[in-house]
Amino acid sequence: MMRPSVTILTASMMLALTGCTMIPTYHRPPSPIANSWPSRVSGSNNTESASLANWRDFYRDPVLQDLIETALVNNRDLQIAQHQVEAASAQFDIENAALFPTLNGTAGANVQKMNSHIWSLSQSDSPFYMRQYAVGFGISAYEVDLWGRIRSASRASFDRYLADQLGRESMQLSIIAGVSTAMLNWVANNQALAITQQVLENRQHTYDLVKQTANVGTGTQLDVAEAEAALHDAETNLQIYMRQREQTLNQLELLVGTPLTSKIRDELDHKASLEDVVPFPDVPEGLPSDMIARRPDILSAEQVLKSSNDDIGAARAEFFPKIQITAANGTASNNITRLFQSGMGAWNVAPQITLPLFDAGRLTAQLHQAKAHKREEIARYEKTVQTAFREVADALSGRSTYLAQLHAQSALVNAGQKQYQLALARFKGGYDPYLATLVAQRTLYTAQLGAITTKLQQMSNTITLYKTLGGGWTDTLPKPKISIENKIL
């Protein structure tokens, strides 16, 4: 009869021995940033978005939402990050599996040919055969995790898995911001192209007019040359903005991960200016600086730090004895026909203990290395927090200055429009040469392009602020989608 209770009892005993670890108590490093943002930067008085969290609440433009949703499915960088998370999860399962014995089924036969006279069994030289058959199941070289070495390695692997998962979320934020910025760039180039086409038409009309006045003697060939140069300058700018519009479309398709549908292309074509894009919500007033702790890249850096802390526990456990157990339970017989008969049961348990006595300092060096890695990750975590603080502070400072710059740029466009109209009227009336009109026209054109650029920078800065705040400005930290308690340890 087989005795499965022996193996089950042995496995239960081994599992009971596991449990403790030598992982140092983890303490989050103190925040290396100020408790508040610099006094020169702040949010707006608008509290509409005080609990903004979902990206759809921020990116409200329907066309932009369609582009983002498509990118979240098709973007290859995001797919790569997802596969890395899956690989990290599988690696944790591999590490975690070492905590449990591996049960194998075995069946074997051993046949030996022997010469009978060697054993003085007979005077004959005829050989005889020794046979042994066995069937059973058991475990081989299972390490009892008495000091938590395997458990520490398993926790380190799990923390690295969480770091990869949070890294994917950080990449998702970047891709969303990248898609949004690319669409804004396309609209801005489309708007600049439309203005340039209008300027080209005006300069063509002006060139024809100047050429006509020169033919009748009221104008000069210098005016004609200046008008012609201005015309070709507009033609050059038209090609530049046509090229830039196509390039931004290519960039947008790369980020989205698939060619744009005709429906989205038509919707994009209807956005003649940045004013046609649904505006983003304003950041509320009085956000604390410690809210950047919700950023996925900071959370990911902390998980890497925790994994280095876990590695110290594994390095410490290496100094203590390792206990390995091999056990088997089954039947054995020298006759295969009697293998499963009563009384053929066989079992064995073979524990082994290994104590490190001399290793030329290898284990000590491994522990020092683990501690050095932890100090390295502490510095990297603190640098990540400081970088995040700087990024948010820059975006907040840009918010107020871009609004003032937009107001000034709008006034500049209005003034340039008046200047151009007056200069054109005086030229047509014969009071001024064409040069004054050309200067006014170039001033207006530059002001109009500057207004587009400033508006684009202001909207892009708002996107950057949303991204640097971790994808919103709620006062709660995101919880991991999975915890180590969800796994069998």
Side-chain angles (χ1 to χ4, degrees):
M1 293 291 293
M2 297 172 61
R3 298 183 182 179
S5 58
V6 175
T7 303
I8 295 176
L9 179 61
T10 303
S12 301
M13 177 188 68
M14 291 183 293
L15 291 176
L17 289 174
T18 63
C20 70
T21 65
M22 295 186 177
I23 301 175
T25 302
Y26 173 76
H27 299 286
R28 177 183 294 174
S31 180
I33 58 176
N35 294 327
S36 59
W37 307 112
S39 58
R40 63 184 181 278
V41 302
S42 65
S44 70
N45 293 324
N46 183 5
T47 58
E48 170 196 6
S49 54
S51 60
L52 186 65
N54 190 285
W55 65 263
R56 292 180 180 83
D57 297 331
F58 181 79
Y59 300 102
R60 300 175 178 178
D61 189 274
V63 180
L64 185 52
Q65 288 185 346
D66 289 343
L67 290 170
I68 292 174
E69 288 175 351
T70 305
L72 294 180
V73 174
N74 297 286
N75 183 273
R76 297 307 186 272
D77 288 332
L78 199 57
Q79 291 180 0
I80 292 172
Q82 177 59 36
H83 296 323
Q84 289 174 338
V85 171
E86 293 170 357
S89 177
Q91 181 61 38
F92 166 72
D93 291 336
I94 294 172
E95 298 280 356
N96 193 55
L99 288 167
F100 300 89
T102 301
L103 186 63
N104 299 308
T106 61
N110 184 21
V111 180
Q112 291 181 293
K113 176 183 176 181
M114 308 292 293
N115 292 321
S116 59
H117 71 275
I118 295 177
W119 302 97
S120 300
L121 298 177
S122 68
Q123 299 300 318
S124 172
D125 291 335
S126 301
F128 71 96
Y129 297 88
M130 297 181 62
R131 296 177 174 85
Q132 183 71 31
Y133 304 96
V135 174
F137 60 90
I139 58 177
S140 177
Y142 169 69
E143 181 179 344
V144 181
D145 195 30
L146 189 61
W147 316 109
R149 185 189 68 83
I150 299 176
R151 187 176 294 270
S152 297
S154 176
R155 286 184 176 273
S157 180
F158 179 78
D159 286 328
R160 285 189 286 269
Y161 155 66
L162 283 184
D164 285 346
Q165 185 183 71
L166 291 164
R168 180 197 175 280
E169 294 179 10
S170 180
M171 177 172 288
Q172 178 172 305
L173 276 179
S174 297
I175 290 172
I176 291 175
V179 170
S180 306
T181 303
M183 193 196 86
L184 293 182
N185 284 332
W186 187 91
V187 175
N189 280 298
N190 196 42
Q191 184 178 357
L193 179 61
I195 291 177
T196 303
Q197 287 174 331
Q198 183 180 3
V199 169
L200 179 60
E201 293 173 0
N202 291 339
R203 289 184 180 179
Q204 180 67 58
H205 177 73
T206 303
Y207 171 72
D208 295 338
L209 178 62
V210 171
K211 190 175 182 180
Q212 181 180 1
T213 59
N215 291 336
V216 298
T218 58
T220 66
Q221 291 301 316
L222 178 60
D223 291 338
V224 175
E226 290 172 344
E228 184 179 5
L231 175 63
H232 295 320
D233 179 66
E235 290 174 343
T236 301
N237 289 338
L238 184 69
Q239 299 304 316
I240 291 174
Y241 285 115
M242 288 179 64
R243 179 172 63 251
Q244 290 181 354
R245 186 179 67 167
E246 291 304 312
Q247 288 175 345
T248 52
L249 184 63
N250 294 337
Q251 180 189 17
L252 184 59
E253 287 191 336
L254 175 63
L255 289 168
V256 170
T258 185
L260 302 183
T261 64
S262 57
K263 174 178 177 293
I264 292 181
R265 289 292 299 269
D266 292 340
E267 291 174 340
L268 278 176
D269 289 337
H270 282 86
K271 293 190 179 297
S273 73
L274 291 172
E275 300 297 334
D276 295 331
V277 179
V278 178
F280 306 120
D282 289 332
V283 58
E285 185 76 38
L287 293 176
S289 65
D290 59 359
M291 70 165 299
I292 62 174
R294 72 187 303 278
R295 281 179 42 148
D297 59 336
I298 293 179
L299 294 174
S300 178
E302 185 175 10
Q303 290 302 141
V304 175
L305 172 58
K306 288 181 178 179
S307 72
S308 66
N309 191 63
D310 299 331
D311 289 336
I312 294 177
R316 286 176 172 176
E318 291 283 359
F319 287 89
F320 293 84
K322 290 184 180 179
I323 301 175
Q324 290 184 330
I325 296 179
T326 298
N329 185 27
T331 61
S333 174
N334 59 2
N335 190 327
I336 194 171
T337 60
R338 301 173 54 197
L339 190 60
F340 298 102
Q341 293 181 2
S342 176
M344 294 295 105
W347 61 268
N348 70 80
V349 176
Q352 178 181 349
I353 184 168
T354 303
L355 176 65
L357 297 178
F358 175 76
D359 62 0
R362 180 180 62 86
L363 296 181
T364 302
Q366 287 179 349
L367 180 58
H368 290 167
Q369 182 185 50
K371 290 181 177 179
H373 281 165
K374 179 181 179 180
R375 293 192 294 269
E376 175 188 352
E377 295 305 331
I378 289 175
R380 184 172 286 112
Y381 169 79
E382 292 174 341
K383 178 63 180 298
T384 303
V385 174
Q386 290 174 337
T387 301
F389 181 85
R390 181 257 172 110
E391 290 174 348
V392 177
D394 286 348
L396 285 173
S397 64
R399 183 196 175 281
S400 57
T401 54
Y402 277 125
L403 290 176
Q405 185 178 345
L406 272 175
H407 181 75
Q409 194 72 39
S410 178
L412 179 60
V413 171
N414 293 334
Q417 186 69 44
K418 293 179 183 178
Q419 179 187 4
Y420 172 66
Q421 291 173 350
L422 291 173
L424 183 61
R426 288 181 64 82
F427 167 71
K428 290 181 178 180
Y431 298 104
D432 289 330
Y434 174 67
L435 180 60
T437 303
L438 179 59
V439 171
Q441 188 182 56
R442 285 175 173 170
T443 300
L444 173 60
Y445 180 47
T446 302
Q448 289 174 325
L449 294 179
I452 295 174
T453 301
T454 303
K455 180 64 176 177
L456 174 62
Q457 291 173 340
Q458 184 266 331
M459 298 181 74
S460 299
N461 184 74
T462 306
I463 292 174
T464 300
L465 179 57
Y466 173 82
K467 173 189 170 186
T468 55
L469 286 173
W473 31 83
T474 60
D475 56 359
T476 58
L477 291 176
K479 295 181 178 179
K481 297 178 181 179
I482 186 172
S483 65
I484 199 166
E485 287 75 16
N486 299 131
K487 297 283 190 176
I488 302 176
L489 286 178

